[in-house]
Amino acid sequence: MPFGITPDTGFAYACNTHQEALNTLLMAVKNGEGFIKITGEVGTGKTLLCRRFLATLDPNHVTAYILNPYLEPRTLLLALAEELHVALPPGVDQYHLMKELTRGLLNFARQGKTVVLCLDEAQAMPIETLEALRLLTNLETEKRKLLQVVLFGQPELDQKLEGESVRQLKQRITFHYRLTVLGQEEVDRYINHRLRVAGCRENRLFTRSATRLVHRWSDGVPRLINIIAHKSLLLAYGEGVQQVLPAHVRRAAADTPAAQQRRPWWWLGFAMLLVTAGSLGWMILS
């Protein structure tokens, strides 16, 4: 299916914002920076970007990926050790846990490998865990850090980093990027790209007016684009027609609560016009 909501790098579309973010990540890792931050609203493709980034790194990089970092500090360190295949004795205490992690990171450094830790949904991390992560990145050789950390999170992550207790971590974030939504033309290209990857050979399965309506109702958020486009395809198939029309998109959007919450601005103007007309009519009748 061309419009699944599960992140699939095979369908990745290199829009401007994602390509710039990927270039930022690759440049930051090449420079050996300790902390890198990528933020974006819900549904803008942070997880997909993370997977693209990990897939792009060459064998000289050792990667660890933690999907849910809502963990206490010790549990996060245990998760990192597991991702890096660092052997730990049963019931290891905090001191020996840090010691074994350090030894593992040094071994990778001796092999000429760079260790990169990616944390998705980083806005959910407790403050204490963020601080433990900062202390872990203090480990370094004379020339570079032993561990590089990439934080992927919603804008709430920026708010969390404004706290006084994590000001040292904020100072260490040398590269950051904010993902934005897709513009109207990009939505059109995005939809056609995913259709081609899925095997569609039609020049235009979605009419231009239909893709404009998808942009309007999704506000350019990739996840919402996928949901509305998928439902629109089903509606067109159910009617036995060969193209997705604006009517299908309207019905798909009406069946999508998140799209209803992003009701286009012209609906507000139309509603105000109705209210004004109603008030005027009441005054005339009175």
Side-chain angles (χ1 to χ4, degrees):
M1 294 187 294
F3 300 110
I5 60 173
T6 301
D8 184 344
T9 55
F11 282 94
Y13 170 65
C15 61
N16 291 337
T17 182
H18 267 243
Q19 196 58 47
E20 288 176 2
L22 181 60
N23 293 342
T24 299
L25 286 169
L26 294 174
M27 179 59 67
V29 168
K30 182 179 179 181
N31 289 344
E33 302 298 338
F35 273 95
I36 310 147
K37 175 170 64 74
I38 303 292
T39 56
E41 284 290 349
V42 176
T44 50
K46 297 181 294 296
T47 300
L48 180 60
L49 173 64
C50 179
R51 293 183 181 179
R52 284 185 66 200
F53 168 62
L54 292 173
T56 304
L57 296 175
D58 60 41
N60 290 324
H61 294 83
V62 177
T63 59
Y65 174 56
I66 297 178
L67 175 63
N68 178 16
Y70 184 60
L71 305 167
E72 62 180 11
R74 174 180 168 79
T75 309
L76 180 70
L77 297 179
L78 288 170
L80 176 59
E82 183 177 303
E83 284 286 306
L84 298 178
H85 305 288
V86 174
L88 298 173
V92 63
D93 58 35
Q94 186 79 3
Y95 170 75
H96 288 95
L97 172 57
M98 285 295 295
K99 186 174 181 180
E100 291 303 318
L101 265 176
T102 303
R103 181 180 300 170
L105 292 171
L106 283 170
N107 285 337
F108 285 126
R110 292 190 190 101
Q111 298 169 31
K113 296 183 179 295
T114 301
V115 180
V116 180
L117 168 61
C118 291
L119 294 157
D120 209 350
E121 302 293 347
Q123 77 282 347
M125 292 181 70
I127 295 294
E128 297 79 8
T129 306
L130 279 169
E131 179 62 14
L133 200 59
R134 181 189 68 82
L135 294 174
L136 193 60
T137 59
N138 284 341
L139 303 173
E140 55 190 0
T141 64
E142 292 182 356
K143 295 186 177 180
R144 63 184 177 93
K145 296 282 185 183
L146 293 180
L147 176 67
Q148 293 178 264
V149 179
V150 186
L151 302 172
F152 293 86
Q154 296 170 19
E156 290 82 357
L157 176 60
D158 292 325
Q159 299 171 15
K160 182 168 285 190
L161 292 174
E162 291 298 325
E164 186 71 14
S165 59
V166 289
R167 63 187 185 280
Q168 291 189 59
L169 187 151
K170 184 179 179 182
Q171 290 178 357
R172 297 190 183 193
I173 298 174
T174 51
F175 282 84
H176 60 91
Y177 191 89
R178 178 73 175 267
L179 292 176
T180 57
V181 297
L182 304 183
Q184 182 173 296
E185 288 301 317
E186 282 189 314
V187 169
D188 186 72
R189 292 193 293 269
Y190 173 87
I191 288 175
N192 288 318
H193 166 78
R194 293 188 72 107
L195 287 169
R196 283 194 299 271
V197 172
C200 178
R201 295 295 174 261
E202 298 291 333
N203 289 330
R204 181 156 293 278
L205 192 58
F206 280 67
T207 65
R208 286 196 177 275
S209 52
T211 59
R212 284 197 295 269
L213 210 54
V214 171
H215 171 258
R216 186 180 295 167
W217 281 102
S218 68
D219 205 19
V221 176
R223 184 179 296 159
L224 279 179
I225 294 170
N226 287 357
I227 293 171
I228 294 172
H230 175 68
K231 291 181 178 179
S232 300
L233 271 178
L234 289 177
L235 287 166
Y237 173 75
E239 292 179 2
V241 296
Q242 298 300 311
Q243 271 194 320
V244 175
L245 306 173
H248 300 129
V249 177
R250 291 191 188 94
R251 288 165 59 191
D255 188 57
T256 306
Q260 291 294 318
Q261 292 172 3
R262 292 175 174 269
R263 188 178 293 275
W265 62 267
W266 52 265
W267 275 94
L268 177 61
F270 183 64
M272 291 179 65
L273 181 62
L274 287 178
V275 171
T276 303
S279 300
L280 182 60
W282 181 82
M283 288 175 63
I284 291 173
L285 291 173
S286 298

